[in-house]
Amino acid sequence: MTSTGASSSSATCTCGRCFEGWLSPRMRERLEYSAALRYGLARALLDTQDGVPAEITRTVPVDYARIDVAFYYLPPALRAKIAARDGGDALYRGYIAVLAAVKDLASSESESEAEAGEEDVDAAPPRGFPSVAEVTARLSELRSGDAADHTGPPPLEEGGARAHLGAYLDGGGSAEYALDCVVERAREELSPLGRLYDAEKEYIDAVLDGAGTRAACANDLEFGLVRRMLGLAAETRGGEGPLDEGWDPVSDEE
């Protein structure tokens, strides 16, 4: 992965292992894990939804989208379209396809890293994280069917993924919303800076500490720098929804 072209500097790097001097290995671990969590939850919700007989309710897609934290990183106009009975399900599935693209791009290993193995991660060159521009380019490939180098399962079920992605993009969606969600949830859930980070979630730091060669760095919690280098706005677009731990999606409507 490459940066957005914004000016980068190694002035803040203290570990000597930051990608282009700004993305530390620990920060990248948080972002990659966040991408996997966001897609995994959304995919699980869809799998549950698809297992419910259609005759039970026609509004299940809306309810399941509202449970997904990622839904609240979309602008209000797009959320309203997803909440509509006509076409909303396709838009939401297209959004999940974008989260899948972020996850796939983030988790792709370079040949040198794969050869180095888990015991010698520093033998591989530092890795970046997909920017807004890179994810946008990937979505264009997926939509046109030109993503011949894509590995792993398709973002959504065969035959529908391209149409869903098209519905999302044509409906006003973009790569920025999904990437904003991934970065901000990494900060909120997987770093000591977050409101939702507590003793139960400190396992991510235990994993990073146990990595051995991944030394701590001044860039480990520089989320503002990450946002700028990935092409995101300085402030998140999300956070308007029920993001607190105590939110009950069932009683929210009562």
Side-chain angles (χ1 to χ4, degrees):
M1 299 298 152
T2 59
S3 70
T4 61
S7 176
S8 62
S9 170
S10 60
T12 58
C13 176
T14 59
C15 69
R17 296 293 304 156
C18 287
F19 174 77
E20 296 187 349
W22 61 271
L23 182 63
S24 74
R26 287 179 172 226
M27 172 63 85
R28 195 192 188 287
E29 289 280 352
R30 285 190 169 92
L31 296 176
E32 183 174 344
Y33 190 33
S34 178
L37 283 176
R38 295 277 61 85
Y39 172 71
L41 173 60
R43 181 72 259 180
L45 288 173
L46 273 187
D47 289 343
T48 301
Q49 168 192 305
D50 291 341
V52 177
E55 62 269 18
I56 292 181
T57 176
R58 295 297 180 182
T59 61
V60 170
V62 177
D63 293 338
Y64 275 76
R66 284 171 53 81
I67 294 173
D68 186 3
V69 169
F71 175 74
Y72 298 95
Y73 285 83
L74 296 170
L78 193 52
R79 295 205 302 265
K81 291 180 181 180
I82 291 178
R85 294 189 180 187
D86 184 17
D89 184 53
L91 284 169
Y92 178 56
R93 290 173 185 269
Y95 181 39
I96 296 175
V98 180
L99 290 172
V102 174
K103 175 188 70 69
D104 288 349
L105 286 170
S107 61
S108 59
E109 289 187 338
S110 65
E111 293 182 4
S112 57
E113 184 175 32
E115 292 175 356
E118 295 182 358
E119 296 182 357
D120 191 17
V121 294
D122 279 352
R127 297 171 60 201
F129 195 79
S131 67
V132 171
E134 288 167 333
V135 177
T136 299
R138 185 59 169 181
L139 298 182
S140 179
E141 293 175 353
L142 291 171
R143 186 176 186 181
S144 66
D146 293 337
D149 61 336
H150 179 69
T151 58
L156 296 177
E157 64 275 7
E158 288 287 356
R162 192 181 303 176
H164 295 150
L165 182 57
Y168 171 77
L169 295 175
D170 292 342
S174 73
E176 181 180 356
Y177 304 142
L179 200 57
D180 178 29
C181 174
V182 168
V183 174
E184 185 64 10
R185 298 319 294 176
R187 183 186 188 281
E188 290 296 318
E189 299 177 9
L190 304 176
S191 86
L193 302 178
R195 294 178 294 111
L196 305 180
Y197 183 84
D198 54 29
E200 294 181 357
K201 297 180 180 178
E202 290 178 3
Y203 60 84
I204 184 67
D205 286 324
V207 170
L208 295 176
D209 287 339
T213 56
R214 293 189 177 94
C217 181
N219 286 335
D220 285 346
L221 299 175
E222 287 291 339
F223 285 93
L225 177 60
V226 166
R227 295 185 66 87
R228 177 168 64 86
M229 298 305 291
L230 295 184
L232 291 169
E235 299 293 334
T236 179
R237 297 176 182 270
E240 299 177 4
L243 304 182
D244 292 334
E245 290 181 322
W247 176 66
D248 182 350
V250 175
S251 61
D252 184 57
E253 293 294 324
E254 299 178 354

